[in-house]
Amino acid sequence: MLEFLQPVVRFSPEINMAAELSTSINIKEPRWDQSKFVGRAKHFFTVTDPRNILLTNEQLSHAHDIITDYRKGIVSPGLTEDELWRAKYVFDSAFHPDTGEKMILIGRMSAQVPMNMTITGCMMTFYKTTPAVLFWQWINQSFNAIVNYTNRSGDAPITVSQLGTAYVSATTGAVATALGLNALTKHISPLIGRFVPFAAVAAANCINIPLMRQRELQHGIPITDENDNRLGESTKAAQQAISQVVVSRILMASPGMAIPPFLMNHLEKKAFLKRFPWMSAPIQVSLVGFCLVFATPLCCALFPQKSSMSVSRLEPELRDKIQASHPGVERVYFNKGL
């Protein structure tokens, strides 16, 4: 992923006989067929590649220049199709699809695996005391707030008040769920207690994501026809988009928070961890990381990034407006966010 952005020796025009790259390649869409799960999975394995967070500002700017020039019909001298696609995925990993702004580093999808493996591993290791629950749920929801804001749908700004409300509500919900379940599980199997952090994360996702994207629910997200012509803003589309994101986020956390508890419950009975108890956290973090490497892209791929819905399911006023001005349009499309 990194090597194509390094300085490349180009042949002079006199001896470079290769044909110039066509400007007809559709880089608005992913390289692989997004109507099929396999194509979406390949796309998200590339987008969520943790190596993307190691890219420098110079490399990101280089990819940005290649893509913006290509969209204007300008092809960089000697650019190959593979280099163009690599630049597109570097561009997509760092710049918001609707606003075009450079995204916060830890909010990018490429940061999901390293950040979540650390936070989730620690939540599942240090879950027995109230201070530990408070601290790690606060860290997790702070990170989630950044991710949800960074990967919101649409190009409308969100206010500081809305950000604060979502952040406080989600953190409170997660902590209350975790502490409440911890109290309920004190007298039952320790194995069940290990699943408390997962329940807290699931509850928090149901609170955090809708609240962080509440402006979309109130005012709608941009919808287009199949040719990307903007038709308006729809709250119905926002509801579908946010519901899909909540489901994929919960499922994304599931393997990393469901499989390691069984393994750790078994390992902690062995002599090794009894002799080296400090190894519990590194092992847990590694197990979570291994699960997330696969769960993150696969769960992002559950629903198409460019989601769609029938015009008949839109709000009556918007539906009537579209049917009057664009009678041939039967489906509308929108970015669901991540």
Side-chain angles (χ1 to χ4, degrees), residues 60-332:
L60 294 178
S61 296
H62 181 51
H64 184 278
D65 292 343
I66 289 175
I67 297 304
T68 51
D69 285 348
Y70 189 83
R71 287 173 175 171
K72 297 174 184 176
I74 303 170
V75 179
S76 303
L79 184 70
T80 67
E81 184 173 347
D82 282 343
E83 288 174 338
L84 175 66
W85 282 112
R86 291 191 192 106
K88 174 199 163 42
Y89 276 102
V90 168
F91 177 88
D92 287 350
S93 75
F95 297 92
H96 193 278
D98 292 326
T99 66
E101 66 185 11
K102 185 183 291 186
M103 295 184 284
I104 303 166
L105 180 62
I106 64 171
R108 300 173 193 171
M109 292 310 292
S110 52
Q112 283 287 293
V113 172
M115 291 297 297
N116 268 327
M117 66 182 283
T118 303
I119 296 172
T120 304
C122 289
M123 277 198 302
M124 296 177 68
T125 302
F126 310 109
Y127 66 92
K128 295 180 179 179
T129 67
T130 298
V133 169
L134 289 171
F135 178 76
W136 285 109
Q137 289 294 341
W138 169 66
I139 290 291
N140 186 49
Q141 291 313 313
S142 298
F143 172 64
N144 282 345
I146 294 171
V147 173
N148 294 336
Y149 173 74
T150 303
N151 294 281
R152 68 198 184 279
S153 175
D155 49 15
I158 185 169
T159 66
V160 174
S161 174
Q162 290 170 331
L163 280 173
T165 300
Y167 175 63
V168 171
S169 300
T171 304
T172 302
V175 170
T177 302
L179 292 178
L181 290 176
N182 265 350
L184 291 174
T185 57
K186 282 182 179 179
H187 305 294
I188 57 179
S189 169
L191 177 60
I192 296 177
R194 290 182 179 274
F195 289 94
V196 167
F198 174 55
V201 166
N205 275 329
C206 294
I207 299 170
N208 195 325
I209 296 172
L211 283 174
M212 191 60 67
R213 296 174 60 175
Q214 61 184 294
R215 193 187 188 285
E216 299 171 37
L217 293 171
Q218 294 168 351
H219 303 286
I221 57 176
I223 57 172
T224 67
D225 61 17
E226 60 183 1
N227 297 315
D228 288 332
N229 297 309
R230 191 158 174 167
L231 302 174
E233 289 77 36
S234 169
T235 56
K236 292 288 187 180
Q239 291 169 14
Q240 177 174 308
I242 292 171
S243 298
Q244 290 177 344
V245 171
V246 169
V247 170
S248 63
R249 286 286 191 85
I250 292 174
L251 292 177
M252 191 186 300
S254 299
M257 302 190 84
I259 297 173
F262 289 105
L263 297 175
M264 291 304 298
N265 199 56
H266 176 72
L267 290 174
E268 287 182 354
K269 297 175 183 177
K270 301 297 181 180
F272 177 76
L273 281 183
K274 288 181 178 179
R275 185 177 178 185
F276 304 105
W278 58 270
M279 284 294 294
S280 179
I283 292 174
Q284 187 110 263
V285 168
S286 300
L287 288 171
V288 171
F290 178 78
C291 293
L292 286 173
V293 165
F294 298 97
T296 300
L298 292 177
C299 290
C300 283
L302 288 174
F303 306 101
Q305 183 61 34
K306 187 177 181 179
S307 195
S308 68
M309 66 190 308
S310 171
V311 170
S312 62
R313 292 179 55 202
L314 296 172
E315 307 89 303
E317 183 179 344
L318 180 59
R319 179 191 62 213
D320 294 343
K321 176 184 174 183
I322 292 174
Q323 289 176 338
S325 58
H326 300 81
V329 175
E330 297 182 355
R331 295 194 71 80
V332 294

